[in-house]
Amino acid sequence: MGAVNSLLHALHLLGPQHSHRLAGPRAVFPGILILNSLHLYPILYLNATAALANIDPALEEAAENLGCTGFRKFRRVTLH
């Protein structure tokens, strides 16, 4: 039994007779999910970095002048 199954058993999310297979011939969905995540990561990364590079720094400076700092500034100015 692997670490994930042990954790799920310790949290009482799985019964004693059950286990999840994350690899092998019967575990098709987790493999597809992992491969798609790795395959699409560069596209997501490039789009996110381009979007963050095009943010006008004057907006963040204006937010700081109005008293918005830290995570609140990131959430209200950068993500919106």
Side-chain angles (χ1 to χ4, degrees):
M1 183 163 53
V4 174
N5 285 326
S6 297
L7 178 67
L8 292 175
H9 285 289
L11 296 173
H12 301 291
L13 297 174
L14 281 180
Q17 302 298 326
H18 296 85
S19 65
H20 286 291
R21 292 183 56 114
L22 298 177
R26 298 178 68 195
V28 175
F29 182 72
I32 291 172
L33 187 67
I34 291 169
L35 280 176
N36 277 332
S37 299
L38 292 174
H39 176 73
L40 296 175
Y41 175 74
I43 296 169
L44 176 69
Y45 176 76
L46 290 174
N47 285 332
T49 54
L52 291 174
N54 289 328
I55 293 175
D56 187 13
L59 293 174
E60 291 185 354
E61 292 172 6
E64 286 179 4
N65 288 337
L66 294 172
C68 191
T69 59
F71 182 71
R72 185 174 178 204
K73 179 180 70 170
F74 175 75
R75 190 186 67 207
R76 290 187 175 238
V77 177
T78 306
L79 291 181
H80 281 226

